């Protein structure tokens, strides 16, 4: 179990020592330059894949609905990754400038979250272990989902997902779509989606995030150890 800071006045973000569902939240906090304690829990090695590090604390944190990820911000203690993302987006002006922009931000976050769940369902299933099955998933399921995002990125007026400034939608889209491309062993699918590739590069190259993204992707695996794919840090081409 580790934490990046012990300052009791800082936000505390708790999650497994992976990217998983929490990485967009980490990206938002780093972009906004908000100091926070990144409290991570390690899953044990197989075949047991113990969750004891988390379970030993789960009922001791004062959470109404104990789960990972969780956020502690002073007296506020909350769970659910999207609720946390929207709360921080509103608090740090990363949720759009108008009600219409906010609606689009949430729509995009929800849409790509559904894709992330499909990716997770696959990589945590026995099929995730097979290179042939991964190829089929990437070329059929993930590519099919990408078409809508490719069209959206192509018609947007600014370089960000919504409006002319980054929002939490950018961070959710970036990390969750990147986790899908990671399943592509041949690393060729992204070339078929140039608008999506450009968007990912835009976020990856943000001065506020470029160093963190490089370090985080080298430090955190996408999935937990029990997953059939992505349970270790991947060497990306």
């Amino acid at each position: 179990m580790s934490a990046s800071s012990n300052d009791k006045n800082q936000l505390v973000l708790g999650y497994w020592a992976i990217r998983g569902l929490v990485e967009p939240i980490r990206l938002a906090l780093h972009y906004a330059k908000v100091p926070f304690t990144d409290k991570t829990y390690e899953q044990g090695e197989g075949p047991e894949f113990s969750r004891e590090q988390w379970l030993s604390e789960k009922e001791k944190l004062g959470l109404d609905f104990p789960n990972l990820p969780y956020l502690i911000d002073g007296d506020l203690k909350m769970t659910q990754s999207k609720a946390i993302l929207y709360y921080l987006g509103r608090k740090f002006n990363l949720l759009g400038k108008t009600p219409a922009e906010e609606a689009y931000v949430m729509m995009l976050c929800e849409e790509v979250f559904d894709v992330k769940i499909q990716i997770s369902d696959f990589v945590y299933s026995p099929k995730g272990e097979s290179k042939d099955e991964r190829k089929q998933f990437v070329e059929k399921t993930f590519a099919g989902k990408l078409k809508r995002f490719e069209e959206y990125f192509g018609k947007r007026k600014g370089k960000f997902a919504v409006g002319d400034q980054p929002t939490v939608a950018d961070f959710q889209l970036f990390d969750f779509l990147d986790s899908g491309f990671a399943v592509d062993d041949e690393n060729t699918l992204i070339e078929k989606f140039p608008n999506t590739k450009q968007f990912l590069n835009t976020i990856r190259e943000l001065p506020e995030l470029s160093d963190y993204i490089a370090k985080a992707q080298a430090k955190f695996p996408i999935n937990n150890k029990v997953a059939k794919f992505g349970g270790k840090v991947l060497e990306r081409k």
Side-chain angles (χ1 to χ4, degrees):
M1 192 162 31
S2 65
S4 61
S5 172
N6 292 317
D7 187 339
K8 64 181 180 181
N9 295 317
Q10 289 185 0
L11 298 176
V12 178
L13 180 64
Y15 195 61
W16 299 110
I18 63 173
R19 285 163 59 186
L21 297 178
V22 87
E23 196 61 19
I25 300 170
R26 291 189 183 123
L27 290 171
L29 290 168
H30 280 282
Y31 176 80
K33 299 181 180 179
V34 178
F36 71 101
T37 298
D38 192 4
K39 189 166 186 178
T40 56
Y41 301 87
E42 287 278 353
Q43 185 174 60
E45 300 294 337
E48 295 84 4
F49 298 109
S50 171
R51 299 163 59 210
E52 184 58 27
Q53 272 199 5
W54 159 239
L55 294 178
S56 65
E57 285 195 2
K58 181 177 179 180
E59 302 296 338
K60 301 176 182 179
L61 298 170
L63 300 166
D64 291 318
F65 301 96
N67 207 344
L68 294 175
Y70 65 77
L71 179 75
I72 299 175
D73 183 8
D75 292 332
L76 174 68
K77 297 183 178 184
M78 63 183 300
T79 51
Q80 294 296 334
S81 61
K82 288 182 287 183
I84 294 170
L85 190 66
Y86 298 153
Y87 166 72
L88 294 174
R90 187 166 284 114
K91 181 170 184 174
F92 298 114
N93 298 314
L94 295 171
L95 208 58
K97 296 178 180 178
T98 67
E101 286 191 359
E102 182 175 316
Y104 264 86
V105 167
M106 291 184 173
M107 177 186 73
L108 289 166
C109 286
E110 297 288 338
E111 192 67 31
V112 78
F113 185 88
D114 289 348
V115 176
K116 174 67 171 179
I117 295 303
Q118 281 192 297
I119 297 167
S120 295
D121 287 346
F122 172 77
V123 298
Y124 279 86
S125 77
K127 290 183 177 180
E129 205 165 12
S130 164
K131 188 171 183 178
D132 289 339
E133 291 286 357
R134 291 198 298 272
K135 181 178 176 63
Q136 185 173 1
F137 174 82
V138 165
E139 293 180 350
K140 294 184 177 180
T141 304
F142 185 54
K145 295 295 183 181
L146 279 173
K147 290 178 182 178
R148 295 284 187 182
F149 292 101
E150 178 71 8
E151 291 172 1
Y152 179 84
F153 292 137
K155 68 182 182 181
R156 66 201 161 102
K157 296 179 181 179
K159 64 179 182 177
F160 299 108
V162 180
D164 56 4
Q165 297 292 328
T167 66
V168 293
D170 292 291
F171 310 136
Q172 185 113 311
L173 285 161
F174 170 81
D175 191 72
F176 288 0
L177 292 179
D178 183 70
S179 72
F181 283 114
V183 183
D184 179 18
D185 294 295
E186 298 175 1
N187 197 33
T188 56
L189 180 68
I190 195 168
E191 302 303 329
K192 299 177 182 179
F193 297 90
N195 296 326
T196 304
K197 181 179 179 179
Q198 182 181 30
F199 168 78
L200 295 178
N201 286 338
T202 294
I203 305 306
R204 186 178 284 110
E205 293 168 3
L206 284 171
E208 298 88 346
L209 292 179
S210 58
D211 286 347
Y212 169 74
I213 288 173
K215 291 175 183 176
Q217 292 190 349
K219 176 182 178 182
F220 291 122
I222 297 173
N223 306 308
N224 232 333
K225 295 174 183 177
V226 70
K228 301 301 182 181
F229 178 83
K232 297 180 179 179
V233 174
L234 299 172
E235 290 187 14
R236 306 284 287 275
K237 297 178 182 178

